[in-house]
């Protein structure tokens, strides 16, 4: 089971982040916060070879809907998206909301997660 969906882009790290944020907004998702692992580790005196930026994203309406069905879904919210570099290439990706939600074994939640995943994949593809 591959839980990661990822696409390569010719954009720089910052260009990819900006494009992804714009496309997420067009799909009713907002970025709650962003963590740059390379910068954070550098603060601790550790060097990470490549960039790795995590964006925690959320569609408030869908988050409310799933939390009202099962409050334990909060353990996998918000959705994580990543913009990273490896060997001079930039990648944009995410963990699969549908596969994560399946762990809760609720068909109603799975349908919502499919919609979320579709919107996030659409934003990834439009941003690359």
């Amino acid at each position: 089971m591959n839980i990661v969906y990822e696409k390569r882009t010719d954009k720089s790290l910052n260009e990819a982040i900006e494009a992804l944020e714009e496309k997420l907004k067009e799909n009713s998702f907002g970025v709650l916060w962003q963590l740059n692992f390379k910068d954070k580790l550098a603060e601790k005196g550790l060097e990470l070879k490549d960039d790795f930026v995590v964006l925690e994203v959320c569609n408030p309406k869908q988050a409310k809907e799933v939390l009202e069905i099962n409050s334990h879904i909060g353990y996998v919210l918000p959705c994580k998206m990543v913009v990273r570099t490896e060997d001079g290439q930039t990648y944009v990706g995410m963990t699969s909301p549908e596969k994560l939600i399946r762990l809760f074994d609720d068909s109603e939640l799975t349908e919502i997660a499919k919609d979320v995943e579709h919107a996030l994949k659409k934003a990834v593809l439009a941003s690359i």
Side-chain angles (χ1 to χ4, degrees):
M1 165 169 83
N2 190 358
I3 198 161
V4 174
Y5 174 83
E6 184 174 70
K7 297 293 180 185
R8 190 180 67 74
T9 180
D10 292 329
K11 294 179 178 167
S12 71
L13 180 82
N14 289 331
E15 291 170 337
I17 291 170
E18 288 175 19
L20 180 59
E21 287 177 338
E22 180 182 319
K23 297 306 176 185
L24 286 166
K25 191 179 288 187
E26 289 174 11
N27 286 280
S28 302
F29 282 81
V31 176
L32 301 175
W33 63 272
Q34 188 179 119
L35 172 66
N36 184 318
F37 269 106
K38 187 173 186 173
D39 291 349
K40 186 55 73 178
L41 291 173
E43 290 175 14
K44 307 296 181 190
L46 301 168
E47 184 180 337
L48 185 62
K49 177 183 150 197
D50 294 308
D51 292 294
F52 196 98
V53 178
V54 177
L55 289 81
E56 297 262 338
V57 306
C58 181
N59 174 308
K61 181 180 176 214
Q62 289 174 315
K64 178 185 180 296
E65 186 177 2
V66 297
L67 286 168
E68 287 178 343
I69 295 169
N70 183 339
S71 63
H72 290 120
I73 300 304
Y75 286 97
V76 295
L77 292 180
C79 297
K80 286 190 177 16
M81 303 200 72
V82 170
V83 180
R84 67 182 189 87
T85 61
E86 184 177 327
D87 299 325
Q89 298 291 315
T90 304
Y91 298 87
V92 179
M94 60 184 226
T95 52
S96 166
E98 184 181 352
K99 289 181 176 125
L100 286 172
I101 291 293
R102 282 189 184 161
L103 298 172
F104 294 89
D105 198 28
D106 183 321
S107 61
E108 186 178 6
L109 291 171
T110 302
E111 288 306 310
I112 298 167
K114 282 181 184 179
D115 292 341
V116 168
E117 186 161 328
H118 175 75
L120 295 179
K121 284 181 175 178
K122 182 178 171 183
V124 167
L125 290 173
S127 73
I128 61 170

